């Protein structure tokens, strides 16, 4: 018997339609037949996310989308920005699983290699990656952190420059770090993983597609976000002003 | 020569005026003579903060206040909620130092005892405390985490029940954990530290007053938030809609 | 377009046919439609695995099965014993992904809860669980380790006693540890996860089914075991005697 | 109402009068108006401290000074050598707070940057710095350790060579480590922090002045060294011979 | 009164007779007068051990030898391969102490230096060394990992090339890592330690001889492998087929 | 050929002659035939060591004895107080190996059990034990810390009360902690290890005798304290006053 088709909400936390499209496409390529990718981005917010401040801005949009998705009965939520902004807050709000793309990619990397490297955009985001490695428990599994030193939106400028630099850093990860796998550190790199995996001969992992499969896995197992303890629904309290829409 | 008087912005991240007053009073008691405490809270948001979701909501208000404070030329910003919501994002935005009250209290606790315990409100917030201990490096310095199992606003209900439970848990921290100091895990407990310190015979530390002294210390030393690397000002980008006010 | 059906080899490292059947059934329940579960166990070895020594014995059988599976072109290998015996050795040997059930369950637990507990069989196996938590990076995510103090094969004796004790320890995990999820620490508990999840109201995770979905996820993403570095195929060397069959 | 003026004892653990003067001056620059800096050094001991042995020698002098300071009723003690020699022993002896300059500088560095570097004198002292990072919990916050490869007293030789090398290593810390702040790893560098902060554009932190402000902070908060548990006063026992003066 | 002479079983886990001889010789040089070195290797297995797979193969032979040794009443067992294959399984089986050579060398290195480096054979074995450092608690004590990039058996080819490369890497460990000691990462390097210690002026430690002295130390102290908890004898269960010989 | 007889200096850091005798006896029981135990204690200092302050006092005497021992050409130095006071300073001073009894006992405990407990005297010394576990890398190997809540010298009062409490806590370590071994946390317990090992059926380890065997092991291997890096001899500098005797 075939399982019920799933609706998977993929939330691009920035407001870039082009990046939402890139992310949606990467998600659809791997989704199991019949499953629907519901790609959304906040209407208001930051066009790209490159620091703690941008993440804080983006988190509000993520939460609103999670609430919309929950009310629509989606089967899982994906936060498609490498810093996994708002992950635990979203888990409080959600009934279904919530997966961050950094989290998904890092988890899978440890399943196919003993050590991995991360290739991301601007150097200032490396601190965010370090914090996530630390929070998720993968500090010792990471052999190197690389930044291409270009902003996120350079991935969407059509020149291919950013893509070329990603490729170079992936090679450095393999040859200089001696890493067995590479984690791509930006949702906007989602379309590069397959070809780099083929060319470089090591797993190059995109978090968007990884997260889609994690949501599908959890759904198939009947596992949803625990509502016991600190991930229980937020306590009902009157959220005022522009937060009104987030009231329970 | 007396140093220039400082303006210290104390941001209560929730919308409770009563708690803002409690916090402001605690700050003023310890501020150096001449220094001004500018106590603020967001006009919109959550009336109390008891989880990851509430923290995410509160962060936006914190950032707006930090921007207002920065534009007004304050000498330091304090985030007066024990989860230190938005701390690194605020540091990106700020020129002056930004101190969280959990951070301030934990740091000082390690200076007067080899191990400390934390006494907070609802059990669901213990995860937040654990994450902060981990992020700040104080996991091994913490001998116990205690929750009084009452919501934050019970501290403002006038009954004294919450205060009594805080006292009981502080005694448990001293006698059962063997801790040399206690960190109070909520801005609303700011007024209890002195009397508990006296009664219990061990340092009981309130983060609000601790943070005031840390800001004063950094200001006196000419130390401000580093603008090198990941705490550099947010990259200028058009923030849309309700985030417009946060544009650089 | 539907993806190609997969053949997933599920290796029960002990020689118990009853447990192999339990494991196979759990795997088949969650496998995507069309995917084949190839459940095997070594013909020689230990009837159950309850310590470092038993694991070492079992590892040889695991490796032989992995080699057979590889030669048969399976799409993934699952090591269905909670200690994940021979995991890295099997990854050297394999082209496809290799997943241990402890690993799979622990990874998924961190995606649906901030802290989980483990419920296993004999106390002497707790050390193995501790080592895996440490190796995988999940030490801080684990809030408690529980043993039912019955041997593995008690799960197959038909009396239901072991199952009842598992249930009791899961409740202790939820109520005393405050864990948001429970990881079942034995392949022989694979059939209990669903009903305990329903009854207890928190995710109770079986590693066998979890590993099936992880293999499917990796396969869909085109990710196989990295052959770069320490997981490269074993160096060709003449293995003598009874190890002859493992020659490359 | 102005707080009572404080007497802060600054203990230079070595016998160099020139360095005591440097340290005293740095302390006085930042002390709050009215507070008195009581700068002392042991009459007997080592002229500089550059290793574990030197630290052990220095500790006795530190303890004697702490006892003298305690008997004189000082409001805080500062151990002005970057290894914080005798810190916990001094805390047992003291009623008032005791702060080490390494500790003070490291704590403040984490408040203004996510990662800092240390610049110290001889390479052999780097191990001491590593141990302190580990003990205080700041291992992950430190991005680099630099030694100028000159002895401590080169800072007092008037040539400026050591000072120039400190400056070079601070630049390396900023540009090569990518650190957001620098901690100066010797009491004899106390006078360099301000100008390097200004020149390099990142916080360069001197522990002597940092410690003065920490003592003032603790005093203002009514926090003294915990006398609960392992920092309780030393048990009274007859100390013989030259240790007689340390009897309780 | 002279202690009873001991019989110490030194197990070379690979099938190389030349390496067994090298190991035996190194063991005999340091054994206390009267003590007997019983050097053995499995009759079947791998001629060298250079990865997780090789280790898994070797473990079976190690266990069989431990059982033989136990039945013969030896006073200690040494696993003379740097990965310490089968260490905990062997401890379950044994009554006497079981020592791995990596373990022995690392332990002693921390007694004579604050940081040490490891020099081993193929780069792919570095992961094994990292795992051991992590398991034994010596991660922070290790300042560098070096591979000579030659297979284990190159140490037995008579050319001296491998030996020369070991020497070079030991020098790099001393001069580039700044390590105070070097651990030789292969049983086949056992004969190099003394001369390198003399030439390089730092302790260069061979695990085989180190393990002999650890066994002698434990025996003299009356300390044997704990049979309490997870190292208790394996539970009696019918091991089938070629494992029959390992039945209890 | 018999090795040259060794002279092993066992330094009791306190001034108690009774305890020096206990320690000397324990050392002599296990020393290899022909080796001489040179038991010493400082003439001035503290009669017992029960805290950071006492340790600091004791360190000076330890260093003086190490210097005397070095000048006399001893083959190793043992610091026979469970806090290992002055260990790294003594290593700078020494040519021969220097071993602390806490260090020795902890190292050996990890060789015979996967987890051990510590039984010590006063609760206030537990912090010292925690710091050592952390410094040596054995935090995760320690399952419990127990204090008998009697001062060190109660072990010498002839009543047997302290000895009985040690026994009770060892039983608690075995039965409640589930530890496979116990480390005795005081030099004054040195005579209890053998009988407790026999009675309790698990290794109960005394650091004094353990350290003797470690010194003998290092001597037999030709390994001495590294003089490379931070353990190089102290830099020659004029130590003044009562420290004159420590001049190089």
């Amino acid at each position: 018997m075939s399982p019920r088709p799933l609706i998977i909400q993929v939330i691009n936390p920035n407001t870039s339609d082009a990046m939402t499209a890139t992310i949606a496409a990467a998600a659809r390529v791997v989704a199991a037949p019949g499953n629907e990718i519901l790609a959304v981005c906040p209407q208001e917010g930051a066009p790209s996310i490159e620091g703690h401040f941008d993440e804080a801005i983006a988190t509000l949009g993520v939460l609103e989308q999670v609430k919309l998705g929950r009310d629509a009965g989606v089967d899982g939520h994906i936060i498609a920005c490498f810093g996994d902004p708002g992950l635990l807050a979203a888990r409080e709000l959600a009934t279904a699983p919530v997966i961050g793309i950094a989290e998904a990619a890092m988890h899978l990397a440890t399943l196919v290699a003993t050590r991995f490297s991360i290739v991301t955009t601007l150097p200032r985001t490396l601190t965010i990656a370090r914090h996530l490695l630390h929070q998720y428990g993968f500090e010792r599994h990471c052999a190197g952190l690389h930044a291409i030193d270009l902003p996120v939106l350079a991935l969407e400028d059509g020149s291919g420059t950013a893509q070329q630099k990603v490729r170079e850093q992936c090679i450095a990860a393999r040859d200089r770090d001696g890493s067995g796998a590479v984690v791509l550190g930006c949702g906007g790199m989602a379309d590069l993983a397959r070809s780099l995996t083929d060319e470089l001969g090591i797993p190059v992992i995109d978090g968007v597609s990884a997260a889609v499969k994690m949501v599908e896995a959890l759904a198939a197992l009947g596992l949803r976000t625990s509502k016991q303890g600190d991930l229980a629904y937020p306590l009902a309290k009157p959220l005022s002003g522009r937060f009104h829409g987030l009231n329970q």
Side-chain angles (χ1 to χ4, degrees), chain A:
Chain A
M1 190 193 69
S2 258
R4 179 177 63 78
L6 304 175
I7 303 175
I8 301 171
Q9 185 190 37
V10 179
I11 305 168
N12 173 19
N14 72 37
T15 58
S16 159
D17 287 333
M19 193 168 296
T20 306
T22 300
I23 288 168
R28 287 189 183 112
V29 166
V30 300
N35 287 349
E36 179 185 347
I37 297 298
L38 186 64
V40 298
C41 72
Q43 293 208 305
E44 300 179 344
S48 62
I49 299 173
E50 292 152 324
H52 311 289
F53 173 81
D54 293 350
E55 284 201 348
I57 297 293
T59 291
L60 195 64
V62 167
L63 295 179
E64 288 169 338
Q65 293 297 331
V66 167
K67 185 157 191 287
L68 288 172
R70 184 186 75 180
D71 294 347
V74 303
D75 297 286
H77 315 263
I78 291 170
I79 302 177
C81 168
F82 196 73
D84 298 350
L87 182 63
L88 293 180
R91 283 195 180 137
E92 285 190 20
L93 207 51
T95 302
V98 183
I99 306 291
I101 66 169
E103 176 184 57
M106 290 177 185
H107 276 269
L108 292 192
T110 70
L111 302 183
V112 292
T114 50
R115 299 217 295 172
F116 64 86
S117 293
I118 296 174
V119 174
T120 186
T121 53
L122 291 178
R124 70 182 293 160
T125 69
L126 293 178
T127 294
I128 294 173
R130 276 192 207 99
H131 284 182
L132 294 181
L133 287 167
H134 188 44
Q135 176 181 338
Y136 299 153
F138 300 138
E139 269 183 318
R140 285 189 316 266
H141 301 78
C142 181
L145 290 148
H146 303 253
I148 60 169
D149 209 359
L150 285 177
V152 168
L153 294 182
L155 289 158
E156 306 288 345
D157 72 4
S159 75
T161 304
Q163 282 76 4
Q164 182 53 26
K165 283 180 179 289
V166 168
R167 181 182 167 276
E168 289 166 10
Q169 292 303 317
C170 287
I171 292 171
R174 182 191 64 185
D175 297 343
R176 291 211 310 262
D177 300 347
S179 278
V182 177
V183 162
L184 296 179
C186 178
M189 300 175 185
D191 52 345
L192 305 177
R194 286 271 176 160
S195 59
L196 288 170
T197 294
D198 289 345
E199 181 192 347
L200 273 60
I202 57 170
V204 177
I205 304 173
D206 153 53
V208 176
S209 46
V212 169
K213 302 314 288 185
M214 299 307 266
V215 164
E216 290 180 349
L218 291 168
L221 295 166
L223 297 173
R224 294 184 295 184
T225 299
S226 178
K227 295 287 111 183
Q228 156 82 14
D230 63 299
L231 297 180
Y233 295 116
L235 296 173
K237 54 188 70 166
L239 303 177
S240 57
R242 71 199 126 162
F243 304 108
H244 189 76
L246 280 167
N247 273 312
Q248 301 298 303

